[in-house]
Amino acid sequence: MHDISFEVRAGESVGLVGPNGAGKTTLFNCVCGQLRHDEGEILFLGEALEGTPTFKRARLGIGRTYQKVEVFTDMSVRDHLMVAERSRRGEGRLWKDLLNMSRVTEDETASVEATMELVGISSLADTSVNALGLGHCRLVELARALAAEPKILLADEPSSGLDVRETAEVGAVLRTVQRERGTAILLVEHDLSMVGEVVDRTVVMDLGSMLAEGTFDEVMANSEVRHAYLGQMGAAS
């Protein structure tokens, strides 16, 4: 990546779009610490993230979901969120959990219940994830990221593999999270109709560089964007 610079303000929803290979997921990996950038700097809450390990970035308030659903199939929905809740609190109970010596507190339970309610999966709390379809698994992964109470959520193609109804559900959850929790959102998504519904502002990448920035309608009307992005996506627009 090169020549790319933009910000996501507190409580703002920003779409990051572009053709395959534009560098969107690479940028996510740099922000979250899975990759190290060669030049420039990444700032979070005014502080440079250089040298900060991935787990500390998460505790600072950077949450993420992935293109490929990452869930533990042998755990219930509630347990997924409890893992994230305890990780957020960082109170060192993992060894006790492994020995079945740790008790769930009322605060932990209340926090997990609130997150499930926010995402709309309370009815699935005791269901094993291996019994869920892809759409519900996407919501579980989203809820797990939100259980850590991130200040910004990096959502990497959350509608991938979903049908129209499921995509609308995910989009509605993202809007609710932004509105009710004030969570900033950086959304990578190929479903442009979803991007247009969810984001306040859109950044377009191509070949590792920033091509355009503005409202969704403004960037979609940009001739360079249409050539680089829409021209390759065809009917996806």
Side-chain angles (χ1 to χ4, degrees):
M1 292 185 300
H2 54 90
D3 298 329
I4 180 166
S5 178
F6 67 94
E7 67 175 344
V8 180
R9 294 180 285 270
E12 183 183 28
S13 179
V14 175
L16 185 62
V17 303
N20 289 329
K24 305 180 297 294
T25 296
T26 297
L27 187 148
F28 270 26
N29 288 337
C30 289
V31 172
C32 293
Q34 287 97 342
L35 291 177
R36 180 178 297 178
H37 53 283
D38 296 322
E39 297 179 351
E41 61 181 355
I42 298 171
L43 303 178
F44 182 65
L45 301 178
E47 299 292 332
L49 291 176
E50 182 69 25
T52 304
T54 299
F55 77 93
K56 287 190 177 180
R57 297 185 192 209
R59 288 182 178 173
L60 284 172
I62 300 175
R64 181 181 182 177
T65 66
Y66 292 82
Q67 291 180 21
K68 181 180 178 181
V69 175
E70 301 284 349
V71 291
F72 305 109
T73 56
D74 58 344
M75 294 177 66
S76 71
V77 172
R78 178 181 282 109
D79 287 344
H80 266 79
L81 272 63
M82 190 59 68
V83 169
E85 173 66 17
R86 292 200 159 176
S87 176
R88 176 182 71 84
R89 292 173 182 259
E91 295 174 349
R93 291 201 181 109
L94 180 58
W95 69 272
K96 291 185 177 181
D97 291 339
L98 294 174
L99 296 174
N100 293 320
M101 295 172 57
S102 181
R103 295 182 178 178
V104 175
T105 68
E106 291 184 3
D107 285 347
E108 289 171 336
T109 298
S111 180
V112 166
E113 295 292 337
T115 301
M116 289 191 294
E117 179 69 24
L118 178 71
V119 179
I121 56 174
S122 297
S123 63
L124 303 173
D126 297 315
T127 303
S128 178
V129 172
N130 61 19
L132 301 178
L134 178 59
H136 281 140
C137 283
R138 288 280 183 195
L139 292 176
V140 170
E141 186 184 36
L142 180 57
R144 188 179 59 194
L146 294 171
E149 298 186 4
K151 295 179 176 65
I152 182 170
L153 174 68
L154 279 62
D156 197 351
E157 297 190 28
S159 78
S160 179
L162 304 187
D163 61 27
V164 174
R165 178 186 58 80
E166 292 167 332
T167 296
E169 288 179 355
V170 171
V173 169
L174 292 176
R175 290 194 299 274
T176 299
V177 167
Q178 181 192 13
R179 181 177 63 250
E180 296 188 6
R181 285 195 174 181
T183 306
I185 295 170
L186 183 58
L187 171 67
V188 165
E189 181 56 62
H190 282 303
D191 188 322
L192 295 182
S193 61
M194 176 183 175
V195 175
E197 288 289 330
V198 171
V199 305
D200 304 313
R201 186 162 48 89
T202 305
V203 173
V204 184
M205 290 183 66
D206 186 34
L207 300 176
S209 297
M210 193 168 88
L211 187 60
E213 180 180 13
T215 67
F216 180 78
D217 289 340
E218 287 171 348
V219 299
M220 289 299 105
N222 185 304
S223 60
E224 290 184 286
V225 171
R226 298 187 69 84
H227 174 73
Y229 185 44
L230 299 180
Q232 295 186 32
M233 295 300 293
S237 62

